[in-house]
């Protein structure tokens, strides 16, 4: 095992899948010669050549539209949109085609396509480079929306995403790219898409998060234990959609309390759907109102103020404290 | 059934007036007043020195990521100088020199680049749109502005800037087509600086020029040496006069070069050679223009030295001012400003939440 950053772990996943399967093709802006602006595709053009790692002209709609054609032919395109803030240029290709071509062709055409995009704040980026808009994709039937929370699960989920027969939107938190290293095994590892993971056991409270917010959530759980002796169970969603509520419901049936943490704006965000599922399936077990700790419903501010926007450990602890009080 | 060539009405020309050494083609020399020549020179100098200073500030961690403009000053100023204050300038993100010409302050640029939205102010006596980061998206806004000005029977015109990379986006095609179909008073200025991050222009298009794309849209197009401010000036004069007279849009391709990194987060050594950069350094727009002005007697060696000091002092004052202003900026609650004309109740509630959190410092659960 080697300790890797998330950038290196994703690079490993792409490299190994490309070695195993020549239908895997990478395309996007600056993914080849430059190795991607975050270096996730570093070295892959040298290894696999320009036919398999394609530097495209600057057009997101074309990158995704072309990937749809490649996927219908049976290839497995992995396209990079340089920042998720520029994936709206390709929105219609995803919404109108990638998400439905299987159904529109009565199952004839596979749509094994991965759209990778860095998302989220916290790296002092320029305007339009810090949003968390996973809810847009999660709202589109036919898509899978995956967000890893660290190097090891990023690698395993990327392998699964590439092999998945359906289109996967794969958001990579910029704030996690080089934030920490984890042991990542050289040998193949996959994780099922559509299955959240229990990452910390507890009995007093359930905390649900994903992506860049998982770590502050875990820190908050630790604060609660040290300070209040409260044992929080923490669940990492990993897949936003299709959302599998089973493990969430079981946990909340046990703890009776829940806090959901995400960076995306609160209203109509993933937390809203989770709350709805818990109300449907765990209502009679609840002992306190469910809390959401999320981005405010405003445009994420430029970086001088972004710390006040992004959910902090303190904010999560405070919300947990409120639910525990009941 | 004949098979005959179709006669295309538009032809595409290339225009250069000052060569790389600053030598003039006297027959093509545009008639620019001495006063305007000096204003342009000063603006180029400010653009250049300010860019260098921003790079220093970025390297010292005093501002965030920004896109340098070095080498593209002539392409911006020769064009934007034809606008009246009431006209509209619609920039992408690499037009700092043009923005400063349009009354944006040095302070505001520093403040914005340091992550404070307070810096995104538009000069009150100019009609410009803010910087547009999503590549190519602003081209359509220019078309809408031009349409609206004509609807209101104003003779305001619009000038929009974009890069070579932007011409690959659908928004470019749509903007050019709408502009042409509606014959709006817009000047489309493409700063072809040869690169879009690591992608060379040859990877954006198989067309020999970007200017020739105008033919397909049915509007005039011209390619100019974008490092020759006289050529840019001359082409932009024709285009702005035409737009103002109701003659519709023009596409101007300025051949220039991004001498620096794409943004301060980029490392161009990964994808281009130092030799290429050196070649383009030899075509520098500022030294070329300087030589022309000295030859012409509009500028003396003495003026030049004085101006150098004056510009550096102006920049220093701006840095000091901006840093002073930033010390009292950044109230987090301000991020709720301007989201809507009026804050909806639930959002006012979220603002309250934040205010309470700030008031108690690190909130402790009660
Ligand atoms: C729609 C969109 N896609 C991608 C990006 C990321 N990006 C920023 S600038 C740039 C290259 C732009 O090249 P060009 O249009 O030639 O302008 P230049 O940077 O050379 O001034 C890219 C890919 C973006 N800002 N917007
Ligand atoms: Mg360019």
């Amino acid at each position: 095992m080697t300790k890797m950053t998330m950038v290196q772990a994703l690079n490993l996943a792409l490299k190994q899948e490309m070695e195993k399967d020549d239908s895997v093709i990478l395309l996007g802006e600056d993914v080849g010669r430059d190795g991607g602006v975050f270096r996730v595709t570093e070295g892959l053009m040298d290894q696999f050549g320009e036919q398999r790692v394609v530097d495209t002209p600057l057009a997101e709609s074309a990158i995704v539209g072309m990937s749809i054609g490649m996927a219908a032919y049976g290839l497995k395109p992995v396209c990079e949109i340089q920042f998720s803030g520029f994936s709206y240029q390709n929105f219609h290709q995803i919404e109108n085609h990638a998400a439905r071509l299987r159904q529109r062709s009565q199952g004839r055409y596979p749509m094994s396509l991965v759209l990778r995009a860095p998302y989220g704040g916290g790296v002092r980026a320029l305007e339009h480079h810090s949003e968390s808009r996973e809810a847009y994709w999660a709202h589109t039937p036919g898509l899978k929306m995956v967000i890893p929370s660290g190097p090891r699960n990023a690698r395993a989920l990327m392998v699964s995403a590439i092999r998945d027969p359906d289109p996967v939107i794969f958001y990579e938190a910029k704030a996690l790219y080089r934030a920490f290293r984890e042991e990542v095994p050289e040998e193949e590892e996959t994780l099922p898409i559509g299955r959240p993971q229990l990452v910390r056991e507890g009995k007093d409270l359930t905390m649900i998060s994903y992506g860049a917010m998982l770590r502050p959530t875990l820190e908050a759980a630790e604060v609660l234990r040290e300070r209040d002796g409260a044992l929080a169970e923490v669940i990492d969603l990993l897949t936003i959609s299709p959302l599998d509520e089973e493990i969430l419901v079981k946990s909340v049936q046990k703890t009776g309390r829940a806090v959901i943490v995400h960076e995306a704006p609160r209203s109509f965000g993933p937390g809203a759907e989770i709350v709805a599922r818990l109300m449907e399936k765990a209502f009679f077990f609840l002992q306190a109102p469910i809390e959401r700790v999320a981005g405010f419903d405003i445009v994420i501010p430029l970086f001088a103020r972004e710390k006040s926007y992004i959910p902090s450990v303190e904010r999560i602890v405070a919300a947990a404290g409120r639910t525990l009080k009941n | 059934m004949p098979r005959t060539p179709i006669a295309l009405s538009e032809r595409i020309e290339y225009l250069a007036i000052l060569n790389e050494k600053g030598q003039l083609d006297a027959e093509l020399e545009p008639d620019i007043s001495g006063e305007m020549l000096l204003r342009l020179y000063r603006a180029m100098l400010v653009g250049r020195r300010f860019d260098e200073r921003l790079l220093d500030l970025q390297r010292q961690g005093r501002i965030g990521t920004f896109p340098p403009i070095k080498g593209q000053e002539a392409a911006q100023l020769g064009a934007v100088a034809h606008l009246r204050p009431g006209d509209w300038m619609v920039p992408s993100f690499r037009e700092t020199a043009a923005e400063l010409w349009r009354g944006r302050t040095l302070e505001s640029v520093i403040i914005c680049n340091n992550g404070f939205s307070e810096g995104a102010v538009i000069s009150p006596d100019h009609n410009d749109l803010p910087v547009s980061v999503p590549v190519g998206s602003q081209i359509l806004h220019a078309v809408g502005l031009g349409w609206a000005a004509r609807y209101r029977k104003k003779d305001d015109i619009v000038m929009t800037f974009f890069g070579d990379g932007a011409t690959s986006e659908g928004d470019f095609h749509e903007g050019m087509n709408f502009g042409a179909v509606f014959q709006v008073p817009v000047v489309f200025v493409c700063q072809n600086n040869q690169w879009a991050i690591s992608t060379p222009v040859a990877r954006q298009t198989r067309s020999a020029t970007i200017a020739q794309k105008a033919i397909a849209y049915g509007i005039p197009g011209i390619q100019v040496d974008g490092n020759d401010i006289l050529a840019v000036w001359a082409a932009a004069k024709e285009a702005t006069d035409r737009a103002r007279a109701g003659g519709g849009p023009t596409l101007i391709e300025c051949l220039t070069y991004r001498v620096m990194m794409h943004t301060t987060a980029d490392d161009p050594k990964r994808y281009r050679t130092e030799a290429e950069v050196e070649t383009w350094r030899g075509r520098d727009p500022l030294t070329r223009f300087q030589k022309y002005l000295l030859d012409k007697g509009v500028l003396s060696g003495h003026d030049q030295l004085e101006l150098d000091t004056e510009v550096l002092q102006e920049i220093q004052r701006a840095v000091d001012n901006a840093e002073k202003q930033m010390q009292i900026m950044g109230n987090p609650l301000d991020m709720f400003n301007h989201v809507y004309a009026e804050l909806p109740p639930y959002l006012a509630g979220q603002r309250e939440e934040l205010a309470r959190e700030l008031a108690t410092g690190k909130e402790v659960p009660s």
Side-chain angles (χ1 to χ4, degrees):
Chain A
M1 291 225 210
T2 336
K3 284 209 154 207
M4 286 186 191
T5 63
M6 195 161 114
V7 167
Q8 293 166 324
L10 287 165
N11 183 271
L12 178 71
L14 295 170
K15 177 179 143 78
Q16 291 184 333
E17 282 312 284
M18 290 182 82
E19 281 166 350
K20 284 193 190 115
D21 183 353
D22 71 356
S23 57
V24 180
I25 308 287
L26 306 191
L27 66 163
E29 295 156 13
D30 309 292
V31 296
R33 194 76 49 230
D34 200 33
V37 296
F38 288 102
R39 310 289 178 245
V40 172
T41 52
E42 171 124 55
L44 299 180
M45 184 187 256
D46 285 343
Q47 184 177 349
F48 298 101
E50 297 185 19
Q51 288 297 309
R52 294 191 62 196
V53 181
V54 186
D55 269 329
T56 67
L58 206 176
E60 293 74 15
S61 182
I63 292 167
V64 175
M66 185 168 147
S67 295
I68 290 169
M70 293 161 104
Y73 199 94
L75 298 182
K76 295 179 180 166
V78 179
C79 51
E80 173 176 302
I81 298 300
Q82 203 161 77
F83 289 89
S84 65
F86 309 123
S87 60
Y88 318 121
Q89 271 78 347
N90 60 251
F91 204 98
H92 77 109
Q93 289 290 354
I94 295 286
E95 165 68 30
N96 296 329
H97 298 292
R100 322 181 174 202
L101 202 57
R102 173 183 302 283
Q103 195 184 46
R104 288 182 52 239
S105 64
Q106 295 302 296
R108 167 80 184 267
Y109 294 117
M111 208 30 62
S112 195
L113 177 163
V114 181
L115 184 157
R116 298 182 34 239
Y119 87 100
V123 298
R124 288 169 59 89
L126 295 165
E127 200 182 1
H128 305 288
H129 288 69
S130 300
E131 289 72 15
S132 299
R133 295 281 185 271
E134 53 271 29
Y136 287 164
W137 311 113
H139 199 68
T140 297
L143 290 185
K144 298 183 178 177
M145 168 81 239
V146 172
I147 309 186
S149 60
R152 186 162 181 173
N153 59 35
R155 189 285 194 98
L157 283 165
M158 178 56 79
V159 173
S160 302
I162 293 172
R163 295 180 188 175
D164 200 282
D166 290 313
V168 177
I169 309 291
F170 197 98
Y171 266 18
E172 300 163 7
K174 291 185 284 295
L176 296 182
Y177 267 149
R178 294 170 199 284
F180 62 100
R181 289 169 187 270
E182 269 176 2
E183 301 278 355
V184 178
E186 177 68 23
E187 56 278 14
E188 178 177 312
E189 193 171 63
T190 60
L191 268 176
I193 289 178
R195 190 118 18 102
Q197 253 186 358
L198 187 79
V199 290
R200 180 179 168 122
E201 276 192 67
K203 60 177 180 51
D204 300 319
L205 160 75
T206 302
M207 300 173 102
I208 301 163
S209 189
Y210 56 89
M213 287 298 103
L214 185 75
R215 298 229 301 167
T217 303
L218 283 167
E219 274 180 55
E222 191 51 30
V223 171
L224 292 167
R225 187 187 66 79
E226 281 175 10
R227 201 193 54 190
D228 305 339
L231 300 181
E233 185 140 296
V234 180
I235 295 169
D236 184 357
L237 279 187
L238 299 175
T239 301
I240 312 305
S241 173
L243 180 69
D244 179 14
E245 78 262 6
E246 194 186 324
I247 177 173
L248 313 179
V249 169
K250 267 202 190 125
S251 175
V252 173
Q253 285 180 347
K254 177 172 72 178
T255 64
R257 297 179 167 84
V259 175
I260 301 153
V261 186
H262 58 63
E263 197 175 317
R266 186 183 311 179
S267 296
F268 310 97
E273 178 60 27
I274 296 169
V275 172
R277 302 262 183 120
L278 293 175
M279 295 313 270
E280 288 159 3
K281 304 254 166 89
F283 178 78
F284 293 110
F285 298 81
L286 284 173
Q287 297 177 43
I290 301 171
E291 288 267 347
R292 282 180 289 166
V293 185
F296 299 111
D297 293 333
I298 58 176
V299 180
I300 185 169
L302 296 187
F303 68 79
R305 291 181 170 86
E306 70 180 340
K307 269 216 175 81
S308 309
Y309 177 91
I310 298 170
S312 60
V313 174
E314 291 77 24
R315 228 174 253 168
I316 302 167
V317 168
R322 286 192 296 273
T323 70
L324 285 165
K325 208 175 55 178
N326 286 286
Chain B
M1 289 297 117
R3 179 167 172 153
T4 54
I6 292 173
L8 296 171
S9 56
E10 299 288 347
R11 286 194 359 268
I12 301 297
E13 288 178 340
Y14 170 76
L15 177 66
I17 300 177
L18 273 183
N19 73 9
E20 294 180 15
K21 299 195 173 62
Q23 291 155 339
L24 178 72
D25 182 334
E27 269 178 35
L28 293 174
E29 183 181 11
D31 182 18
I32 310 177
S33 72
E35 190 196 332
M36 179 54 96
L37 285 172
L38 282 177
R39 264 189 77 195
L40 287 168
Y41 177 69
R42 193 178 195 287
M44 275 179 88
L45 196 63
V46 171
R48 175 66 57 92
R49 297 288 168 258
F50 186 51
D51 202 56
E52 291 166 350
R53 189 63 199 275
L54 287 176
L55 188 59
D56 284 345
L57 292 174
Q58 195 279 335
R59 294 308 190 218
Q60 294 161 8
R62 289 156 73 184
I63 61 168
T65 311
F66 85 100
I69 64 159
K70 191 174 200 161
Q72 299 185 217
E73 300 89 349
Q76 300 174 24
L77 292 164
V80 80
H82 295 285
L83 296 186
R84 302 172 183 164
D87 291 333
W88 292 77
M89 202 269 288
V90 182
S92 72
F93 48 82
R94 204 185 297 285
E95 281 85 33
T96 315
E99 289 183 88
L100 295 174
W101 180 272
R102 298 284 291 167
R104 186 160 182 207
T105 63
L106 298 170
E107 282 87 342
S108 75
V109 177
I110 298 169
I111 290 169
C112 220
N113 283 331
N114 204 24
F116 292 94
S117 44
E118 286 89 334
V121 283
I122 289 149
S123 155
D125 39 352
H126 292 76
N127 278 330
D128 296 345
L129 291 194
V131 159
S132 177
V133 168
V135 168
S137 56
Q138 73 283 3
I139 299 171
L140 287 151
H141 312 155
V143 173
L145 288 165
W147 199 95
R150 206 185 39 197
Y151 175 72
R152 289 297 186 203
K153 302 198 171 19
K154 295 275 181 54
D155 71 348
D156 299 336
I157 62 168
V158 188
M159 179 177 287
T160 185
F161 289 91
F162 49 90
D164 44 302
T167 65
S168 296
E169 286 281 5
D171 283 357
F172 166 78
H173 161 70
E174 295 167 25
M176 296 291 291
N177 188 48
F178 270 48
V181 167
F182 293 131
Q183 285 292 289
V184 293
V186 176
V187 180
F188 298 105
V189 183
C190 178
Q191 294 196 77
N192 177 357
N193 64 5
Q194 315 301 321
W195 291 93
I197 311 187
S198 74
T199 310
V201 66
R203 187 78 183 183
Q204 298 293 348
T205 180
R206 288 280 291 178
S207 296
T209 70
I210 284 168
Q212 77 199 58
K213 294 179 189 253
I215 297 176
Y217 297 106
I219 64 171
I222 184 168
Q223 187 187 58
V224 303
D225 179 344
N227 286 7
D228 167 5
I229 193 162
L230 299 186
V232 179
W233 169 282
K237 171 141 183 41
E238 280 176 25
T240 49
D241 285 351
R242 181 183 300 123
R244 224 180 282 283
T250 305
L251 172 62
I252 302 175
E253 175 188 6
C254 296
L255 282 179
T256 181
Y257 194 76
R258 195 196 79 215
V259 177
M260 305 300 286
M261 59 293 278
H262 166 69
T263 67
T264 46
D266 172 48
D267 174 13
K269 288 201 186 66
R270 296 174 69 92
Y271 52 79
R272 67 182 189 187
T273 63
E274 192 48 37
E276 178 187 308
V277 182
E278 263 321 300
T279 308
W280 279 93
R281 282 216 184 89
R283 301 173 183 158
D284 186 73
L286 182 60
T287 47
R288 199 187 295 195
F289 191 41
Q290 217 168 47
K291 166 130 192 345
Y292 166 73
L293 296 177
L294 289 167
D295 288 353
K296 204 175 163 68
V298 174
L299 186 75
S300 69
H302 175 73
D303 298 340
Q304 204 189 323
L305 288 177
E306 250 180 27
L307 211 53
D308 283 345
T309 333
E310 191 185 301
V311 163
L312 287 178
Q313 284 170 348
E314 181 185 334
I315 292 168
Q316 185 55 47
R317 272 197 307 277
V319 173
D320 293 343
N321 268 335
E323 296 201 322
K324 204 180 301 157
Q325 287 175 43
M326 284 188 286
Q327 284 174 3
I328 52 162
M329 273 178 198
N331 181 349
L333 293 175
D334 291 348
M335 66 186 166
F336 287 85
N337 295 353
H338 310 299
V339 181
Y340 293 102
E342 217 175 300
L343 211 57
Y346 76 96
L347 205 45
Q350 292 187 7
R351 189 179 183 281
E352 255 322 290
E353 259 175 52
L354 179 60
R356 270 200 308 276
E357 180 185 301
L358 294 168
T360 52
K362 286 188 176 172
E363 191 180 337
V364 276
S366 39

